[in-house]
Amino acid sequence: MEAPVIHNDEVPVTGAGRVRVSRNTPREPEVSPELAKELGGSGAPVRWERLTAPEAAEVVGARDAAIIPVGATEQHGQHMAMCVDTTVANHVALGVSALTGVPVVPPLCYGVSGSHGSFPGTIALRPETMIMLVEDVVDSLYASGIRQFILLNGHTWNSGSLDVSAEKLRTRYDDVRVRYLAYVTMYPGSEVDGRVTYGRALMHANFFETSLMLHIDPDAVHMDRVVSLTDTDSFWDYRTDQVSRSGVWGREIDQATAAHGAAEAARCIETTARAVAAAVAEPWPEPRG
């Protein structure tokens, strides 16, 4: 059996150069006060870890829901730090919290990332570990009174584990609602400008993610090291190191801009916030005979 063909990168891979230490913190999401008023938020995110125990009980009394951002610590090509998936998922979660008042817990920063293969730096969980981690977090929040859980994902290969977690939790508890969604789920995938045509879940460190990071955390991006990849069609899903020398999947990454990232981030936050606000107010079903 022949090994999968590694596709040719558009730009030669070069050395990483001098390490630049990130000194900046990610940008806080900016939300519309009018939209926050409409959706029930204060305009500022409710960070679970910043609450005292009595404050947490008060928050739960007003909103028995929580957002759990789920990211990863994994290679993102030569030009971006390994925090991308966690940073973006948490940014969107904080924006949704600011608009809706639903508290957001600290992000889960390790993901199901073994499919990156031999690229250095990635810290990967087994799918089974991710399932147990999510269950433990939800069980703890349940003990505090939370009954509605939004698993907000920033890394595609977490999807299978999060689906399993949701299934296990909704069958374990009679009074729990749980939904897994990606931060781009709530607007049509065809409208996501990723500069990727093929590859199903392979879209990675591409124009879209790079634009988001240029807006949210530009100090984690090295545009002078960008390597793009012409994506091709295939039936199978491969490890990233089997199809990309650089660790990216997507064209025209050098055209990414902070302005485009700001527009995409705002859209992700608003569409997700509208969905979450409606979801937590949705009546519980009555058994039908």
Side-chain angles (χ1 to χ4, degrees):
M1 177 179 176
E2 295 183 359
V5 175
I6 297 180
H7 302 299
N8 290 324
D9 295 337
E10 294 174 344
V11 181
V13 176
T14 60
R18 183 173 62 85
V19 173
R20 182 177 64 188
V21 178
S22 178
R23 294 180 174 84
N24 296 330
T25 56
R27 176 192 298 271
E28 289 287 317
E30 298 176 1
V31 300
S32 162
E34 293 77 16
L35 184 57
K37 184 177 180 180
E38 174 188 342
L39 299 182
S42 68
V46 181
R47 299 175 184 261
W48 187 263
E49 74 278 15
R50 301 294 298 175
L51 302 173
T52 64
E55 288 170 343
E58 184 177 344
V59 166
V60 171
R63 290 276 193 279
D64 69 339
I67 303 166
I68 305 173
V70 187
T73 300
E74 61 181 34
Q75 72 84 24
H76 271 73
Q78 298 182 51
H79 70 289
M80 284 200 292
M82 288 181 282
C83 62
V84 171
D85 294 340
T86 304
T87 296
V88 176
N90 195 50
H91 181 83
V92 174
L94 291 171
V96 173
S97 177
L99 288 174
T100 64
V102 176
V104 56
V105 306
L108 308 184
C109 62
Y110 302 122
V112 181
S113 303
S115 61
H116 285 287
S118 61
F119 291 107
T122 298
I123 300 174
L125 299 181
R126 289 172 292 174
E128 300 85 354
T129 305
M130 171 64 78
I131 293 166
M132 290 187 290
L133 176 60
V134 171
E135 286 186 85
D136 285 351
V137 171
V138 169
D139 286 343
S140 297
L141 291 169
Y142 182 89
S144 293
I146 299 294
R147 296 295 183 267
Q148 303 181 84
F149 300 90
I150 306 296
L151 309 177
L152 191 64
N153 187 31
H155 171 52
T156 298
W157 297 119
N158 290 337
S159 303
S161 295
L162 295 179
D163 274 335
V164 172
S165 298
E167 173 64 13
K168 294 183 71 176
L169 291 162
R170 74 170 61 94
T171 57
R172 177 182 305 168
Y173 296 108
D174 292 333
D175 57 348
V176 157
R177 301 197 289 201
V178 56
R179 173 75 186 272
Y180 146 67
L181 65 157
Y183 62 79
V184 294
T185 296
M186 292 304 158
Y187 72 83
S190 60
E191 297 182 19
V192 176
D193 189 358
R195 310 291 173 93
V196 173
T197 304
Y198 303 108
R200 293 195 334 115
L202 282 172
M203 185 168 67
H204 185 70
N206 63 326
F207 172 83
F208 179 77
E209 283 193 327
T210 302
S211 292
L212 284 173
M213 287 298 287
L214 284 172
H215 167 63
I216 299 169
D217 191 359
D219 203 44
V221 184
H222 308 258
M223 289 302 289
D224 58 324
R225 304 176 192 173
V226 162
V227 177
S228 291
L229 185 76
T230 302
D231 53 303
T232 58
D233 197 11
S234 67
F235 174 84
W236 304 105
D237 292 326
Y238 294 103
R239 295 194 321 265
T240 306
D241 64 345
Q242 291 177 307
V243 294
S244 174
R245 292 190 181 95
S246 64
V248 307
W249 189 267
R251 308 182 304 274
E252 302 160 3
I253 301 172
D254 60 315
Q255 297 179 24
T257 66
H260 181 70
E264 294 284 20
R267 191 174 187 192
C268 289
I269 289 170
E270 179 173 347
T271 54
T272 305
R274 289 188 180 279
V276 168
V280 299
E282 182 179 295
W284 286 75
E286 295 182 4
R288 298 180 179 181

